[in-house]
Amino acid sequence: MAGKKNHKKQLRRIELPDNLIGILAGIATVLCCFWRIGLTNLFGDFGNAYYSIAFDWFFLLFVPVGLGTFHAVSSMALSRLERGSVKGAAKFVRLAALVGLVCCLGIWLLGFLLSDFLMGTVMGVPLAGLAFRGFLPALLPVILLLTLSGGMDGFGADKSVDFVRLVFCLLLFLAGPVFAVPFYEYGQKVGAFLQNEQYGAAYGALGGALGLLIAAVPGAVAALLAWWKMRPSIRHMALSDDGGKGEKALQAYQGIFLKSLPVLAPVFLISIGMIGQNLLFLRISKEEAQTNLLQIWGIYTGKVRVIFLLPIFLSVAFAMRMLPGLKVGYLKRNLKKSRERCMVTLRCATLFLVPAAVFMAVLAQPLMSAFFSTGDIETAALLMRIGCASVIFYGLAVALGAVLYSMDMTFSLILNTALAVVIHLFALFFLLELLDLGIYGVLYANIILAFALTLSFMFSVQRHIRIRISWLRIFLAPCMGGAVMAAVCAIVGLALLKNAPGTVNVLVSALTGFLAYFVTVVRIKGATPRELRAFWGGEKIIAVAKLLHIM
């Protein structure tokens, strides 16, 4: 009896962690990065072509009004709170939400009116207009979600922000495939009636596009409820507040736009480059049938580019983690500290970008087989091997862009990005028109774009903080570790587990390969405690290294 009582007491002591919602939101965010994979397996390569063409145009329209909204609203609300203007901060968030909704409504109507012209006349793919029109309504709930989440973040309501992120990311991961299936089946019936089998893929892409709306509406409702719940605490904070200076809607939008400009402008230019790349490939490639072009474009955008984006997203998250330290060094006018943080950022970025590229190059076939069950897997694996080098340079460009952003070098960011995009489009035209390389030209042009971004950002950083970047020190240890990792992955994945299921092959090869890479890099002192502490859970990584007696 006493034993049972003690057992019950132990059970009562089990408590959920305080940051449980944050942990769940992080897991949902990781799952959200794979939402395109589920869609690819449902509507195939042609559906991916329609989906990606529509999404690229939708993202281009979203960037001027939505990208950077969360951070801009958060920082501007916080600045008003620091001045003691609680009512002013709350009013600013409400104005930002109102202006964002009005702007997005206008963009939605404009995009709807121009959808046939953009998808049919410009791109030459009229069926992509279905997915494009399916994306447009999501502008309204997405901007409301971002604005209110930014306001709550500025007020310090981290749990509310995590809850909204959890709802949106989880539903985005689930809703796309759920809606794509019935739309795909309906499109097949329409295609059978009209004797055009492409309608199944086009309607499947429409269902996937509507999944964004289905995820964004509950996310926006969650944000509204969380903001409403904060009203009593805001009123309590504002008891001794005179309301501050009055603010107009136009001033609120102008402030958000200027605050977002260092991020908004480069991404907008790169989005133009991606659409130009798509247009050149569809218009200049010397394939006889457009269906062949759409299929290969769907393979590239739906399989290869989706996998490439995973380490690039990780680079963006790491750059955001390093940004506060970079800003502190620059604001204090401490060049030594700025140079040190810059080198740490570049070395850490290379530490995870190189093994990611090596893994893609060596195990491209098992990786594609593990993630995708439909379409041309062999072609996708070949394209991944050719283009995986771009992942390294894109990641380094993100890291160097974060350094420039921390120094408020907005003009340098915009100018260098514009120059790199122009070089990219001219190079692609040359590769497609004169050399007739087809989709391989797109891969080579992307490597050129990533390298041009890295090179131009590097020159700007060197000029402003007078740093001499030692690329040998940055790349030597990761490349040596990458060589060891490539050998281990080849032995395990391509020899020992050659006939194993793709998922088992990838998981075991990744575990053994990354472990070999970690041991090698730490043993040759390519990753010191200072670099490891910059990562998430850095102290735990150091503890594991000491446990393995490699540090």
Side-chain angles (χ1 to χ4, degrees), residues 519-530:
V519 172
T520 304
V521 169
V522 173
R523 288 294 292 175
I524 63 178
K525 297 187 179 353
T528 63
R530 182 174 60 176

Side-chain angles (χ1 to χ4, degrees), residues 18-278:
D18 293 334
N19 60 339
L20 178 62
I21 295 180
I23 295 172
L24 294 176
I27 295 172
T29 303
V30 173
L31 289 175
C32 184
C33 295
F34 296 90
W35 108 90
R36 280 291 301 273
I37 294 174
L39 294 176
T40 298
N41 291 326
L42 287 173
F43 48 58
D45 296 331
F46 286 104
N48 266 306
Y50 298 130
Y51 188 93
S52 63
I53 292 170
F55 183 80
D56 286 347
W57 277 99
F58 167 77
F59 188 71
L60 182 71
L61 296 178
F62 169 75
V63 167
V65 293
L67 192 69
T69 297
F70 175 87
H71 173 70
V73 173
S74 174
S75 59
M76 295 181 74
L78 181 60
S79 66
R80 283 158 177 75
L81 289 174
E82 290 174 345
R83 296 198 302 264
S85 179
V86 178
K87 292 181 181 177
K91 182 181 178 182
F92 171 78
V93 175
R94 292 194 298 269
L95 283 174
L98 177 62
V99 173
L101 286 172
V102 172
C103 292
C104 286
L105 180 62
I107 292 175
W108 176 14
L109 295 176
L110 181 64
F112 185 83
L113 293 174
L114 295 177
S115 59
D116 290 332
F117 172 75
L118 294 176
M119 298 298 111
T121 306
V122 177
M123 304 304 298
V125 189
L127 286 178
L130 289 171
F132 181 63
R133 287 188 287 271
F135 276 120
L136 289 173
L139 284 168
L140 297 174
V142 167
I143 196 66
L144 185 62
L145 181 154
L146 291 173
T147 306
L148 294 180
S149 296
M152 290 185 287
D153 186 67
F155 275 90
D158 297 334
K159 289 186 178 180
S160 298
V161 176
D162 288 336
F163 177 71
V164 173
R165 183 157 57 99
L166 171 63
V167 172
F168 174 71
C169 292
L170 188 60
L171 288 176
L172 181 61
F173 177 71
L174 297 173
V178 169
F179 274 79
V181 172
F183 276 86
Y184 180 74
E185 294 173 351
Y186 175 76
Q188 285 183 318
K189 295 177 183 178
V190 174
F193 178 75
L194 298 176
Q195 296 184 347
N196 186 347
E197 60 183 10
Q198 298 302 318
Y199 271 90
Y203 272 91
L206 170 61
L210 289 174
L212 178 60
L213 175 65
I214 301 305
V217 169
V221 171
L224 280 169
L225 292 175
W227 179 258
W228 184 268
K229 188 178 178 181
M230 286 178 56
R231 291 186 67 189
S233 60
I234 293 175
R235 267 197 222 101
H236 180 72
M237 293 168 60
L239 289 176
S240 59
D241 182 17
D242 60 357
K245 184 180 178 181
E247 194 160 25
K248 296 182 180 179
L250 186 60
Q251 291 175 329
Y253 175 76
Q254 184 180 9
I256 294 172
F257 181 80
L258 293 176
K259 193 74 176 179
S260 306
L261 190 61
V263 177
L264 182 155
V267 175
F268 185 77
L269 291 170
I270 291 175
S271 299
I272 292 175
M274 294 299 103
I275 292 176
Q277 167 184 275
N278 190 344

Side-chain angles (χ1 to χ4, degrees), residues 323-520:
L323 197 57
L326 292 167
K327 275 187 170 291
V328 168
Y330 182 74
L331 291 175
K332 290 184 176 180
R333 296 295 185 264
N334 189 335
L335 284 180
K336 183 180 179 181
K337 189 73 173 177
S338 296
R339 293 168 188 154
E340 178 186 332
R341 297 300 294 176
C342 176
M343 288 299 296
V344 169
T345 302
L346 292 176
R347 286 201 298 270
C348 290
T350 311
L351 281 174
F352 64 80
L353 290 169
V354 169
V358 169
F359 190 74
M360 293 176 188
V362 176
L363 294 175
Q365 185 79 29
L367 189 63
M368 285 294 168
S369 299
F371 280 120
F372 303 104
S373 58
T374 59
D376 191 343
I377 301 297
E378 292 184 1
T379 301
L382 176 61
L383 296 179
M384 175 171 282
R385 290 191 189 97
I386 294 173
C388 61
S390 64
V391 169
I392 299 174
F393 294 115
Y394 274 127
L396 287 174
V398 170
L400 289 166
V403 176
L404 288 174
Y405 178 79
S406 69
M407 298 186 293
D408 294 327
M409 302 305 300
T410 303
F411 181 74
S412 293
L413 276 169
I414 297 173
L415 182 63
N416 291 330
T417 304
L419 179 63
V421 169
V422 170
I423 293 172
H424 164 67
L425 293 177
F426 272 106
L428 180 60
F429 179 83
F430 174 80
L431 293 169
L432 292 175
E433 180 68 25
L434 300 181
L435 300 182
D436 192 21
L437 291 179
I439 194 64
Y440 303 109
V442 174
L443 293 170
Y444 297 140
N446 270 278
I447 295 174
I448 292 171
L449 171 61
F451 183 74
L453 285 169
T454 302
L455 201 63
S456 59
F457 287 172
M458 180 193 69
F459 287 147
S460 294
V461 170
Q462 287 179 327
R463 186 171 67 252
H464 287 103
I465 61 175
R466 302 170 192 170
I467 183 177
R468 182 180 178 183
I469 298 176
S470 175
W471 291 107
L472 181 64
R473 186 180 176 189
I474 291 172
F475 273 103
L476 181 60
C479 287
M480 292 175 65
V484 175
M485 177 184 173
V488 171
C489 287
I491 293 171
V492 175
L494 303 181
L496 298 179
L497 299 177
K498 182 178 181 180
N499 297 321
T503 305
V504 175
N505 190 331
V506 168
L507 289 176
V508 176
S509 301
L511 181 62
T512 54
F514 280 106
L515 181 61
Y517 174 82
F518 177 70
V519 172
T520 304

